[in-house]
Amino acid sequence: MSLMKSWVESANSVDAPFPLNNLPCGVFSAKGTASEDEPHCGMAIGDFVLDVTALEAEGLLRLDGGPLLDVPFWNAVMEAGPEVWASLRAQITGLLKAGASKRFLVEDHLVALKKARLEMPFLVSEYTDFYAGRHHATNVGTMFRGAENALPPNWLHIPIGYNGRASSVVVSGTEVRRPWGQVKGPDHAVPAFQPSRRFDIELEMGAVVGVPSEGPVTVAEADAMIFGYVLLNDWSARDIQAWEYQPLGPFQAKATATTISPWVVMKAALEPFRVSTPPREVPLLPHLQEPGPMLYDIALEVGLTPAGGAETVISRTNYREMYYSTAQQLAHHTTSGCPMNAGDLLGSGTISGPDKDSRGSLLELSWGGKEPIPVAGGTRTFIEDNDTLTLRGHAQGDGYTIGFGDCAGKVIPALSDPYAR
Ligand code: MN
C-alpha cells in the first residue's frame, strides 16, 4: 500500500497525519458553517475536515439504512457493520481522490481543521479496561510484589480487565481536575481523605466495537466486530488505587476521567500495519488463540508540558508490545455471555516497552516515585498541577502516515473542598 493521492494537496505529504488512506471519523463544529448550531460528523483529510453529514444530506453519500450521519455521533454507522464501513470509505475515496469529477460539489464541505472544535466522536455505551501489556504488568508487579511474583498466576492465560465508567470518557482537550479520594494512613491509623498526590497517566490504545454480539464470539469474530481505534489515556490516581483495589480492582482511582483522541481510525486504514502478538510463553486455551496477526505497528509517545513551559517527550513505545490483542480481549469479554454493543470502548492496558524510556506510565517511569525523571524546568515523579499530558501515535506507511490526532489533557488543581456547597 502506498500513498493514495487526493486533490486536497495538504493530504499528500509523507508526514501528513490524515492522507486519503486514513479517513478517520470525528465530530466537529465550526463557526460560520452548517455545523455551528449542532455538531456534524466529519472525516479528516489533510488540513481539513470533510462534512460528511452535509454530504449525506445532499445525496452525495448514500449509506444502506441511512440517513446514518444526521446525528452528532458515529454509532449508527458503527452498528451498520463492515459492508457499510467499506461502502463509506469507497464513496469518500471516490469523492476525494486526485482527479475526482465531483470535486466542485465537495469543496464547499471542507472546513479548515484549525477552525473546527472537535467533540466526542461517538457515544460510549460501556468502557472496559485491560491490563494486557507484559512489560507494564511486570514492572508494576515487581514494584508491589517483587520480581518473582510479578505476574499474577492468571496473567499468561487470560487478558485481565475491569469494568470502567463510560460516563468518565472525555475527548482530547478536556481539562481533568485532580481528584480527591481516600488513601491509606500510617499502619493501623485511620485513612486520609485528600487530593491525590500520585496522579498518573496510562498510555493505551482504545478499540471501538461496532457490530454488537450476544453470547460468546471467537477471536476472528471479535476482530471483525471492531470498527476502529483511538489513543486512550486512562488517568489513574495511584495512591487511591493502592488503598481501594483489593480484592475487587480499581474503582475511584480510575473514575475521574479517561481521555480519547478525537478521531476514530477505522480498522481498514490500519490493515497494512498488522503484526502478531509476541510468542506465547504458555499456550493459550483454544478459544483465545489468534488465527492471524491482530496487533498493529503503531509508534506511540507521551509529551509532558508544564504550565508555560516546553514539552518533554517522556516515553516512546509501540502498540505491538502488547501481549494480548484487542480481538483476544473482546473474545474473552464475551465468554460469559456478556453482550457487547456498538460504542463499547476497550482500553488495551498500559503499553510499556522493554526499555526504561518506553514505559507508559509515570508510576513506571519514576519507579514508584523513587527515581524522578527530567522534564523542562525540573523533574517529575507524578503529575503536577497544570501539567498537560499529550499522547501521540502514528503508523508509518510507504510514503504516508496514519495519525490519530493528539490525545491531550491538562490537569487542573483539586478543589479546595470537594463537599463545599
Ligand atoms: Mn488502564
Side-chain angles (χ1 to χ4, degrees):
M1 179 70 76
S2 55
L3 173 74
M4 296 163 69
K5 283 224 164 181
S6 170
W7 52 260
V8 180
E9 279 303 326
S10 58
N12 294 334
S13 73
V14 62
D15 55 355
F18 306 125
L20 191 49
N21 305 60
N22 193 345
L23 295 178
C25 306
V27 168
F28 74 99
S29 60
K31 284 208 173 79
T33 74
S35 66
E36 181 166 351
D37 294 329
E38 187 182 56
H40 281 196
C41 293
M43 298 178 96
I45 180 76
D47 295 338
F48 298 91
V49 51
L50 177 65
D51 186 339
V52 292
T53 295
L55 291 186
E56 189 187 44
E58 291 188 7
L60 288 163
L61 171 66
R62 291 174 194 276
L63 299 172
D64 275 358
L68 302 180
L69 294 164
D70 56 346
V71 284
F73 38 83
W74 280 84
N75 296 58
V77 171
M78 288 157 44
E79 189 161 6
E83 285 177 24
V84 167
W85 307 343
S87 167
L88 167 71
R89 292 183 70 80
Q91 291 182 62
I92 299 299
T93 301
L95 293 171
L96 291 176
K97 70 183 181 190
S101 60
K102 290 185 179 164
R103 170 176 176 168
F104 70 100
L105 293 172
V106 174
E107 271 172 329
D108 284 350
H109 300 301
L110 289 177
V111 174
L113 266 175
K114 62 183 175 208
K115 286 190 183 169
R117 179 190 157 87
L118 299 176
E119 316 274 353
M120 273 294 292
F122 63 101
L123 301 175
V124 181
S125 58
E126 299 197 59
Y127 165 49
T128 307
D129 191 38
F130 288 88
Y131 184 62
R134 181 149 192 186
H135 304 292
H136 172 71
T138 302
N139 287 337
V140 174
T142 300
M143 272 182 261
F144 292 117
R145 288 183 296 276
E148 289 189 359
N149 300 309
L151 290 183
N154 53 10
W155 203 92
L156 293 169
H157 301 281
I158 48 170
I160 310 174
Y162 64 93
N163 289 309
R165 290 291 303 173
S167 61
S168 68
V169 181
V170 297
V171 72
S172 177
T174 307
E175 292 183 334
V176 175
R177 189 175 291 284
R178 181 181 299 274
W180 283 65
Q182 188 176 118
V183 302
K184 186 176 185 293
D187 280 347
H188 308 295
V190 290
F193 183 68
Q194 64 189 35
S196 172
R197 292 173 185 169
R198 290 161 72 93
F199 199 53
D200 198 359
I201 56 158
E202 290 194 338
L203 166 60
E204 304 191 23
M205 297 290 300
V208 186
V209 173
V211 182
S213 68
E214 294 261 359
V217 302
T218 66
V219 176
E221 288 164 345
D223 187 60
M225 288 164 60
I226 297 166
F227 176 72
Y229 288 82
V230 291
L231 304 175
L232 184 150
N233 181 356
D234 173 28
W235 302 95
S236 300
R238 302 298 180 193
D239 40 4
I240 298 170
Q241 185 178 357
W243 175 235
E244 74 176 1
Y245 86 107
Q246 290 175 319
L248 288 184
F251 188 52
Q252 292 302 286
K254 305 275 194 173
T256 299
T258 294
T259 302
I260 62 170
S261 56
W263 300 104
V264 182
V265 174
M266 294 172 74
K267 199 171 49 185
L270 295 172
E271 284 302 328
F273 308 103
R274 278 186 186 261
V275 291
S276 296
T277 45
R280 305 290 93 179
E281 183 169 314
V282 293
L284 293 171
L285 294 181
H287 71 284
L288 290 177
Q289 289 176 8
E290 289 175 300
M294 291 185 183
L295 279 181
Y296 298 94
D297 181 356
I298 299 171
L300 301 164
E301 67 175 39
V302 180
L304 188 155
T305 311
E311 180 182 279
T312 303
V313 173
I314 57 173
S315 179
R316 287 188 174 88
T317 183
N318 194 297
Y319 182 45
R320 66 188 302 166
E321 298 287 351
M322 299 308 285
Y323 193 79
Y324 294 101
S325 66
T326 290
Q328 287 174 307
Q329 294 170 333
L330 180 52
H332 174 58
H333 209 317
T334 66
T335 50
S336 57
C338 177
M340 304 301 292
N341 295 306
D344 256 307
L345 176 65
L346 274 60
S348 61
T350 307
I351 305 166
S352 292
D355 306 315
K356 246 184 150 173
D357 58 1
S358 63
R359 296 169 179 167
S361 67
L362 282 161
L363 175 71
E364 294 162 89
L365 287 162
S366 74
W367 207 251
K370 291 187 192 125
E371 300 171 15
I373 58 163
V375 301
T379 61
R380 286 291 181 281
T381 50
F382 293 94
I383 300 169
E384 294 188 5
D385 284 345
N386 303 309
D387 283 349
T388 297
L389 278 298
T390 306
L391 277 45
R392 296 191 192 87
H394 73 275
Q396 192 61 61
D398 176 16
Y400 72 99
T401 301
I402 299 291
F404 290 80
D406 286 359
C407 175
K410 179 179 178 178
V411 174
I412 57 174
L415 297 169
S416 55
D417 176 357
Y419 290 103
R421 294 284 188 275

